[in-house]
Amino acid sequence: MSGVDWESLAEATSGAVGSLVSTTVFYPLDTCKTKYQAEVKSEGGNQKYRHLTDVLKEAIKENKVLSLYQGLTTKNLQTFISQFIYFYGYSFFRQLYLRKSGKKSIGTSANLVVGVAAGCCTVILTQPLDNASSKMQTSAFGKSKGLWSTLTQGSLGDAFDAIGISILLTTNPAIQYTVFDQLKLRLLREKNQNARSNGAVSKAVALSALSAFMLGAISKTVATILTYPAIRCKVMIQSADPDEEESQKKPKQPKTFFEALRAIWSKEGIPGFFKGIQAQILKTVLSSALLLMIKEKISKFTWVALMGVRQHLITNKKRAKSV
């Protein structure tokens, strides 16, 4: 079992569990945000959703509040897999860089490159699930298809729609975790200095839940503002095609990044590139901050549990050899 990177595995497991919880908690808000972002003004300037709350009002009016959870299982599957791969890749590439460079800490630029590398690995493996979950969320309430039907309704190429933008958006979590790590290092350094100045016994200092939440919120806000126009284009491309009843009212959904840019520019102007950014920041900041808070709190438990599994496997291996 010496070939297993247990530290990266612990980081990946705690990160994936944190993502699963945060995604479930904020999923109704995510559905409202996604449907709001996906809509483009028609030629006559008409809009079904003028405000984010209009999505919620529609669900209540049609007595389909539970439809705000449509696609939750797929989203959780996609989130768990993508976050596990991302955190494992991020931890693996980070440790590899430190071993090869001989440095004790990683700088901002190197951290950004490591984050992008981990993000690219994640996107390539999970893009079909990402597309499927977006289509389920943006389908008319009560008309969302199952995972398999959604995945197989188009060609293989359709399953990888918007993969170019997704790769571009790997800079989002890369920026987020770079900012988070740098703020975390500074805060812990200050705590250690204060502890030593007060004559306290030197010991490992960990972030409090509140500190982790606040740093997560700040780091995700920075990443979201910098990448939001690409985020909205991606949602528009991934959204479900309008059903027969709405096909005459809604414009055709864009299929490429440049089509999305052109649609926003021609019908909504510059403000359109930031339509829904408040909802995006609210949802992503809260969910990402909760994710990082949970991850910080369960990392130690996850490490202890994995070490127990490792010891159990080693013991069984020794017994098998002795028989």
Side-chain angles (χ1 to χ4, degrees):
M1 301 302 295
S2 59
V4 177
D5 189 341
W6 292 97
E7 185 174 346
S8 296
L9 188 60
E11 284 287 305
T13 303
S14 57
V17 171
S19 298
L20 196 63
V21 175
S22 64
T23 297
T24 302
V25 169
F26 297 110
Y27 194 75
L29 174 60
D30 188 38
T31 298
C32 291
K33 171 205 60 94
T34 303
K35 289 177 77 69
Y36 179 63
Q37 287 175 320
E39 186 184 33
V40 186
K41 283 184 179 180
S42 64
E43 294 297 336
N46 297 321
Q47 283 183 282
K48 185 178 182 180
Y49 306 123
R50 293 188 176 276
H51 306 284
L52 179 70
T53 53
D54 290 341
V55 184
L56 178 61
K57 289 176 182 177
E58 179 189 15
I60 296 173
K61 183 179 179 180
E62 296 182 4
N63 197 26
K64 293 180 178 178
V65 176
L66 291 180
S67 291
L68 291 172
Y69 290 91
Q70 62 189 26
L72 175 60
T73 302
T74 300
K75 189 71 171 182
N76 274 336
L77 177 63
Q78 183 258 332
T79 298
F80 186 87
I81 294 174
S82 63
Q83 290 298 321
F84 185 92
I85 295 171
Y86 182 84
F87 277 107
Y88 187 91
Y90 179 81
S91 179
F92 175 81
F93 289 129
R94 186 173 183 274
Q95 292 178 56
L96 180 64
Y97 171 81
L98 292 175
R99 284 198 301 268
K100 296 295 184 180
S101 65
K103 298 179 180 179
K104 294 183 179 180
S105 62
I106 186 169
T108 302
S109 58
N111 210 5
L112 190 61
V113 172
V114 166
V116 169
C120 287
C121 294
T122 303
V123 166
I124 293 171
L125 295 173
T126 63
Q127 188 66 20
L129 285 175
D130 187 25
N131 282 334
S133 65
S134 291
K135 282 182 169 57
M136 289 178 182
Q137 282 186 304
T138 53
S139 295
F141 286 130
K143 297 183 179 180
S144 175
K145 299 178 181 178
L147 174 58
W148 183 249
S149 297
T150 304
L151 286 173
T152 57
Q153 68 182 2
S155 65
L156 179 62
D158 292 336
F160 288 90
D161 277 347
I163 190 169
I165 304 179
S166 294
I167 291 176
L168 174 64
L169 286 173
T170 56
T171 56
N172 184 289
I175 293 170
Q176 177 195 354
Y177 295 120
T178 298
V179 173
F180 181 84
D181 281 345
Q182 296 305 311
L183 292 176
K184 176 183 174 181
L185 285 173
R186 291 187 180 186
L187 183 60
L188 293 181
R189 190 180 299 121
E190 289 179 3
K191 284 188 174 183
N192 281 321
Q193 290 175 351
N194 291 336
R196 283 195 295 269
S197 64
N198 293 329
V201 178
S202 178
K203 62 178 181 179
V205 178
L207 284 181
S208 66
L210 179 60
S211 295
F213 187 92
M214 293 303 297
L215 294 188
I218 293 170
S219 60
K220 193 60 181 181
T221 298
V222 173
T224 300
I225 292 173
L226 293 175
T227 60
Y228 188 75
I231 291 173
R232 196 191 168 201
C233 289
K234 177 172 177 277
V235 172
M236 289 169 60
I237 294 170
Q238 292 179 318
S239 62
D241 293 325
D243 56 30
E244 293 181 1
E245 296 178 2
E246 298 181 319
S247 60
Q248 301 299 319
K249 303 177 184 178
K250 287 187 175 182
K252 186 179 179 181
Q253 293 299 127
K255 291 297 182 182
T256 67
F257 183 40
F258 291 107
E259 284 182 8
L261 288 174
R262 187 162 50 248
I264 295 172
W265 176 258
S266 63
K267 297 172 184 176
E268 299 176 356
I270 293 178
F273 291 108
F274 294 92
K275 175 187 174 182
I277 190 171
Q278 299 93 334
Q280 181 77 28
I281 290 176
L282 177 63
K283 182 266 171 182
T284 55
V285 165
L286 289 177
S287 61
S288 295
L290 181 60
L291 182 162
L292 291 170
M293 183 179 72
I294 293 172
K295 178 179 176 292
E296 287 293 322
K297 291 289 107 179
I298 68 173
S299 287
K300 184 176 181 180
F301 170 78
T302 304
W303 175 254
V304 172
L306 287 175
M307 288 301 95
V309 171
R310 177 176 178 271
Q311 187 60 43
H312 177 72
L313 293 173
I314 292 174
T315 302
N316 286 344
K317 188 175 181 180
K318 289 181 178 178
R319 286 178 180 173
K321 287 183 177 180
S322 63
V323 173

